[in-house]
Amino acid sequence: MALGVSLLVAACASPGAGLPPLPQTASSTTTTYKLGPGDQVRVTVFNDPRLTGEFRVSDSGVIALPLVGAVPVVGRTTTEAEQSIERALRSRNLFNDPSAAVEVLQYRPVFVLGMVERGGQTPYQPGMSVLSAVATMGGFNYRAIDDYVSITRLDQNGVPQEYRGERDSLLQPGDVITVFERRF
């Protein structure tokens, strides 16, 4: 009898109910944002238009600058990426005192799956919440649990971690949101 009650309770449990809550993080800004594969950046090297341009961070975490080659930028802030570019310019004797600026033009997308009208990816915008990401996908469909979602996010070691997020949870580029289906 106890086994039957346990199975009944488990069957009625909401999907995602056992997930840990999404950790609170500071608001994502370009000063604290860490670059990742797929980000598009604008690099400005002062006094040399040949090295200025728009570049996409490759899957291997580098940007390929003309005359310089591959510069690792993944996991670095824009300020740290600027310093890496300046070191690369100095080491190749292109400038005595180089000055570079890095600006994020386009962030990695956010992916929305499950009980939404149109699943897929949507461009990340700073300050984007679960609700605004779902809205860009046409909203929750009639079978959705619309109080909470699953958010899969890479940790600092690049390992995916799944959390329970609320409608107002702030997203980060590359997050995968899963909207659960109601049981009945």
Side-chain angles (χ1 to χ4, degrees):
M1 171 95 167
L3 178 61
V5 171
S6 297
L7 290 175
L8 182 61
V9 169
C12 293
S14 298
L19 292 174
L22 184 68
Q24 294 294 326
T25 57
S27 175
S28 295
T29 63
T30 54
T31 57
T32 59
Y33 176 70
K34 305 280 186 179
L35 295 171
D39 286 336
Q40 180 142 355
V41 296
R42 178 171 217 359
V43 176
T44 304
V45 177
F46 298 104
N47 294 325
D48 197 334
R50 298 173 298 169
L51 300 174
T52 295
E54 295 178 11
F55 304 92
R56 186 166 303 279
V57 179
S58 72
D59 289 340
S60 59
V62 301
I63 55 174
L65 293 174
L67 304 174
V68 177
V71 178
V73 296
V74 75
R76 297 182 179 165
T77 65
T78 54
T79 302
E80 293 167 341
E82 291 166 1
Q83 294 166 351
S84 295
I85 292 168
E86 290 168 358
R87 278 193 300 276
L89 291 168
R90 219 176 280 111
S91 72
R92 287 169 182 76
N93 294 320
L94 294 172
F95 291 96
N96 290 331
D97 189 24
S99 182
V102 175
E103 169 189 14
V104 179
L105 295 177
Q106 184 177 4
Y107 297 92
R108 297 183 300 283
V110 169
F111 303 89
V112 184
L113 310 170
M115 299 292 107
V116 292
E117 291 301 322
R118 295 179 315 277
Q121 68 181 25
T122 185
Y124 171 81
Q125 295 295 320
M128 180 179 257
S129 69
V130 166
L131 190 58
S132 59
V134 168
T136 64
M137 297 284 112
F140 296 104
N141 75 18
Y142 71 97
R143 297 192 59 152
I145 295 175
D146 60 6
D147 295 346
Y148 64 91
V149 298
S150 160
I151 298 174
T152 304
R153 178 176 290 168
L154 297 180
D155 66 13
Q156 297 203 2
N157 300 319
V159 177
Q161 300 293 326
E162 189 174 13
Y163 302 102
R164 179 182 165 127
E166 306 300 324
R167 293 167 63 110
D168 62 349
S169 295
L170 292 179
L171 299 175
Q172 294 178 1
D175 281 354
V176 178
I177 301 164
T178 303
V179 178
F180 297 111
E181 180 178 10
R182 282 185 285 132
R183 295 267 189 227
F184 44 86

